[in-house]
Amino acid sequence: MHLDVQDLRNFYYRSQLGRAAQAAVRKEVLSFWPEAQGQTVAGYGFAVPFLRPYLEDARRVIGLMPGPQGVIAWPQGLPNVSVLCEETSWPLETGHVDKLLVVHGLETSENPGALLEECWRVLGPGGSALFIVPNRAGLWSRSDRTPFGFGRPYSQSQLESQLKLNNFLPLRHATTLYQPPSERRIWRKTSMFWEALGVKMSVVLSGGVLLVEATKRVHAPSGPGLRETVRKPLEALKPKPKPEAKPI
C-alpha cells in the first residue's frame, strides 16, 4: 500500500522529525554518490528530497512517482522534473539511467519482483541503483508516525536476496537513522549525537533504514555465437598452397 504524496511531503518538509530524517538519509546517499556530473539520475517512489544535490551537475534528473501515491511538482521554484507513472511501466528509455534511487517504493509495492524488473530495464551499462528501505531490526519500522513504519520492512540479507533473484548484484550497504523516531524535544536536540554514536556502534545499535547499492548483472550469451564462426582463428595465418602450373 502506497502512502499519499501529501503525507510524504508534509513529513519531509513540514515536520522537525522529517527534516532530521531527510538530512541523515541524504548524507548517507551522498556518501555512496558524491556527484553525478553529466549523468541521468532518476528517483522512484518519493525520492525527490534526496535528489536535490544532483540538480546542478547532472545532465538530467527525473522524479518518478507511482499512481497510487500521487505526484507533486518538484523542485519548488524551478522547472518541474517529477512525473506520475505506472509502478511497472516508466516513461523512460531502456538502459538510459546512470543512477537510480528507490525510496518508499519497494517496501510498499504489491509486486516487488515486477518493480525490480523495471528498475533493471531502465538502468544503463555501468549504472547503479540505490535501494532505501525500512530496517526490520530498527525502531523506525515499528512506528507508524513516519513513512518508514508502512509497508514491508527488510533485513539486509532479505533485500540482497531479492535483488539477486532479479538480476542485480549487491555492491555495498549501509544503515542510518539511529535517532529515535520521536518528535519529543529531548530526542530532537540530541539527534546528531545518536547518529554519530550509531555509526561508531553499528554492531550494537540498529539503524532505522537500510541502504543497498546494486548494479545490473548481465548474463553471458549462452549460444555458440562468435565461438562457432571462429572455431579455428589461426587458420588464417597458414600459408595458402601455391596453384599448380598449367601445362603449355
Side-chain angles (χ1 to χ4, degrees), residues 34-102:
E35 53 79 31
Q37 182 72 42
Q39 297 181 343
T40 295
V41 182
Y44 173 78
F46 195 73
V48 290
F50 315 106
L51 296 179
R52 184 171 286 275
Y54 308 112
L55 284 173
E56 184 176 349
D57 296 329
R59 183 176 69 88
R60 188 182 182 194
V61 175
I62 310 146
L64 300 161
M65 301 190 187
Q69 169 190 289
V71 65
I72 59 171
W74 186 90
Q76 189 174 4
L78 294 172
N80 176 59
V81 301
S82 63
V83 60
L84 192 68
C85 67
E86 296 292 336
E87 186 177 67
T88 58
S89 181
W90 301 350
L92 296 177
E93 294 178 315
T94 298
H96 277 238
V97 173
D98 299 296
K99 287 181 168 62
L100 174 63
L101 181 64
V102 180

Side-chain angles (χ1 to χ4, degrees), residues 150-161:
F150 293 85
R152 183 190 314 103
Y154 286 85
S155 66
Q156 180 189 328
S157 60
Q158 288 171 337
L159 179 55
E160 292 185 349
S161 295

Side-chain angles (χ1 to χ4, degrees), residues 167-181:
N167 293 319
F168 280 97
L169 179 64
L171 300 176
R172 298 182 289 171
H173 68 271
T175 57
T176 189
L177 285 187
Y178 296 96
Q179 56 191 285

Side-chain angles (χ1 to χ4, degrees), residues 220-231:
S222 57
L226 191 61
R227 290 173 297 175
E228 191 70 23
T229 59
V230 196
R231 187 181 297 276

Side-chain angles (χ1 to χ4, degrees), residues 29-214:
V29 171
L30 286 171
S31 73
F32 280 89
W33 299 337
E35 53 79 31
Q37 182 72 42
Q39 297 181 343
T40 295
V41 182
Y44 173 78
F46 195 73
V48 290
F50 315 106
L51 296 179
R52 184 171 286 275
Y54 308 112
L55 284 173
E56 184 176 349
D57 296 329
R59 183 176 69 88
R60 188 182 182 194
V61 175
I62 310 146
L64 300 161
M65 301 190 187
Q69 169 190 289
V71 65
I72 59 171
W74 186 90
Q76 189 174 4
L78 294 172
N80 176 59
V81 301
S82 63
V83 60
L84 192 68
C85 67
E86 296 292 336
E87 186 177 67
T88 58
S89 181
W90 301 350
L92 296 177
E93 294 178 315
T94 298
H96 277 238
V97 173
D98 299 296
K99 287 181 168 62
L100 174 63
L101 181 64
V102 180
V103 189
H104 301 305
L106 186 61
E107 72 272 18
T108 56
S109 173
E110 295 182 358
N111 194 345
L115 174 58
L116 289 173
E117 288 180 6
E118 189 68 356
C119 294
W120 193 95
R121 181 188 71 80
V122 302
L123 201 62
S128 63
L130 185 57
F131 299 91
I132 300 178
V133 298
N135 184 1
R136 182 177 293 278
L139 293 175
W140 289 68
S141 65
R142 305 174 197 179
S143 172
D144 59 7
R145 295 182 179 181
T146 82
F148 295 104
F150 293 85
R152 183 190 314 103
Y154 286 85
S155 66
Q156 180 189 328
S157 60
Q158 288 171 337
L159 179 55
E160 292 185 349
S161 295
Q162 186 158 25
L163 293 176
K164 290 175 182 177
L165 284 173
N166 288 273
N167 293 319
F168 280 97
L169 179 64
L171 300 176
R172 298 182 289 171
H173 68 271
T175 57
T176 189
L177 285 187
Y178 296 96
Q179 56 191 285
S182 171
E183 291 277 8
R184 296 184 66 176
R185 186 176 180 183
I186 185 173
W187 300 123
R188 294 303 92 231
K189 291 185 70 174
T190 59
S191 61
M192 298 303 294
F193 166 78
W194 289 109
E195 294 299 331
L197 182 65
V199 172
K200 295 178 181 178
M201 301 184 64
S202 57
V203 176
V204 179
L205 298 176
S206 296
V209 169
L210 287 171
L211 301 91
V212 174
E213 183 186 26

